[in-house]
């Protein structure tokens, strides 16, 4: 029976091949979303092992975080960009869960990310989420939560202001653009809790700064940051 199922899977794979979202090659039996070679070759930062990493330093003086990390280095024209593009613009939400699982395993091995009470993905404005159909960071958070066995919240932190694209803005303009963008519901449920704030790609950190300070202001006891990639 197992052999028959395997044969059926192989036939379906020949007719409708699943491709690696990083390099575009065919996935073999047992591989999901990303091929084994790419999983091995991706540019991991290992920032979760070092508190004074580049992500943390970028937020120094801007946001009082307990720990901050990003799993991969992001550069244009690379496999990491392919993965993030598939997640954000091609509806490949499974890529977010897969990457979240990988990030979750790294966080699990770090003392800095112990005893997290809530995982909160950086929210999209409802209008933007309606257009895209989903919040990519929510699927990353889902993947992390599966590994850490921690609750996800998508209702406590909400985005109330629709901002323009941040891509071509300077760091200061991004900061100005993100003021008073987020609001916290049921503040008492987050007070004195350890919150892990999750994003997809960290560039200047302006969005995380705005989200994080909003959470700190309502009494979050400990704030940690985790993202899939860091744009150098």
């Amino acid at each position: 029976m197992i052999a028959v199922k395997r044969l059926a899977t192989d036939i379906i794979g020949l007719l409708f091949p699943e491709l690696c979202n990083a390099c575009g090659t065919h996935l073999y039996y047992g591989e999901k979303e990303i091929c084994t070679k790419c999983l091995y070759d991706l540019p991991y930062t290992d920032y979760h092992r070092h508190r004074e990493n580049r992500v943390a330093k970028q937020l120094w003086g801007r946001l009082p975080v307990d720990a901050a990390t990003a799993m991969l280095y992001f550069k244009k024209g690379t496999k990491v960009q392919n993965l993030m593009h598939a997640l954000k613009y091609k509806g490949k939400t499974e890529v977010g869960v897969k990457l979240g699982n990988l990030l979750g395993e790294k966080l699990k091995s770090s003392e800095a990310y112990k005893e997290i009470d809530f995982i909160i993905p950086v929210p999209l404005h409802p209008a933007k989420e309606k257009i895209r159909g989903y919040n990519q960071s929510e699927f990353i958070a889902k993947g992390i939560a599966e590994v850490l066995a921690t609750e996800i919240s998508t209702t406590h932190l909400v985005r109330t202001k629709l901002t323009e694209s941040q891509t071509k803005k300077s760091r200061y303009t991004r900061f100005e653009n993100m003021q008073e963008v987020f609001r916290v519901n049921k503040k008492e449920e987050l007070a004195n809790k350890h919150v892990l704030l999750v994003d997809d790609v960290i560039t200047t950190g302006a969005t995380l700064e705005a989200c994080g300070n909003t959470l700190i202001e309502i009494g979050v006891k400990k704030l940690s940051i985790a993202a899939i990639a860091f744009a150098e």
Side-chain angles (χ1 to χ4, degrees):
M1 190 64 179
I2 295 176
V4 172
K5 288 183 178 180
R6 172 70 183 273
L7 179 60
T9 300
D10 289 343
I11 292 173
I12 292 172
L14 288 172
L15 297 175
F16 307 100
E18 292 186 32
L19 305 179
C20 172
N21 288 283
C23 68
T25 60
H26 287 201
L27 294 176
Y28 288 101
Y29 183 80
E31 295 180 334
K32 294 291 183 182
E33 313 310 330
I34 309 171
C35 71
T36 302
K37 185 177 186 303
C38 284
L39 284 175
Y40 181 81
D41 290 339
L42 286 174
Y44 296 101
T45 66
D46 284 335
Y47 284 170
H48 64 289
R49 299 179 184 275
H50 311 283
R51 282 186 179 271
E52 296 186 2
N53 60 65
R54 290 178 62 185
V55 172
K57 289 179 179 180
Q58 184 165 290
L59 295 171
W60 283 358
R62 300 165 60 189
L63 181 63
V65 295
D66 186 73
T69 189
M71 181 171 66
L72 304 169
Y73 293 108
F74 179 97
K75 288 184 179 180
K76 291 183 178 181
T78 64
K79 293 177 179 181
V80 176
Q81 185 182 36
N82 292 342
L83 289 171
M84 303 317 298
H85 192 273
L87 170 59
K88 291 182 69 171
Y89 305 115
K90 294 185 178 181
K92 298 294 186 68
T93 55
E94 302 88 351
V95 173
V97 177
K98 177 71 173 182
L99 291 170
N101 287 160
L102 293 172
L103 178 52
E105 291 294 344
K106 293 185 180 298
L107 299 181
K108 192 175 182 179
S109 69
S110 173
E111 287 297 321
Y113 294 90
K114 300 296 184 183
E115 299 180 350
I116 294 169
D117 297 298
F118 288 101
I119 298 175
I120 297 182
V122 170
L124 293 179
H125 188 275
K128 189 169 185 178
E129 186 167 344
K130 184 176 181 180
I131 292 172
R132 182 171 295 170
Y134 57 94
N135 177 1
Q136 71 277 2
S137 294
E138 188 173 331
F139 287 91
I140 296 168
K142 180 180 178 182
I144 296 172
E146 287 178 354
V147 176
L148 300 186
T150 305
E151 182 178 353
I152 298 176
S153 170
T154 59
T155 58
H156 284 101
L157 183 66
V158 295
R159 191 165 189 151
T160 59
K161 180 180 176 183
L162 183 60
T163 55
E164 299 174 355
S165 173
Q166 301 276 75
T167 305
K168 296 182 180 180
K169 297 183 183 297
S170 67
R171 175 174 293 185
Y172 180 75
T173 304
R174 289 187 186 208
F175 171 78
E176 288 291 298
N177 201 38
M178 296 307 297
Q179 296 306 293
E180 299 180 355
V181 171
F182 301 97
R183 184 187 75 240
V184 177
N185 296 319
K186 298 181 180 179
K187 301 175 184 179
E188 68 282 356
E189 294 181 0
L190 294 183
N192 297 312
K193 300 295 185 181
H194 182 185
V195 171
L196 175 65
L197 186 60
V198 172
D199 205 358
D200 53 359
V201 180
I202 298 175
T203 49
T204 65
T207 301
L208 287 170
E209 181 180 0
C211 285
N213 279 316
T214 301
L215 291 168
I216 293 294
E217 287 170 5
I218 61 92
V220 165
K221 181 180 180 180
K222 185 185 292 187
L223 179 66
S224 298
I225 301 289
I228 295 301
F230 173 64
E232 297 181 279

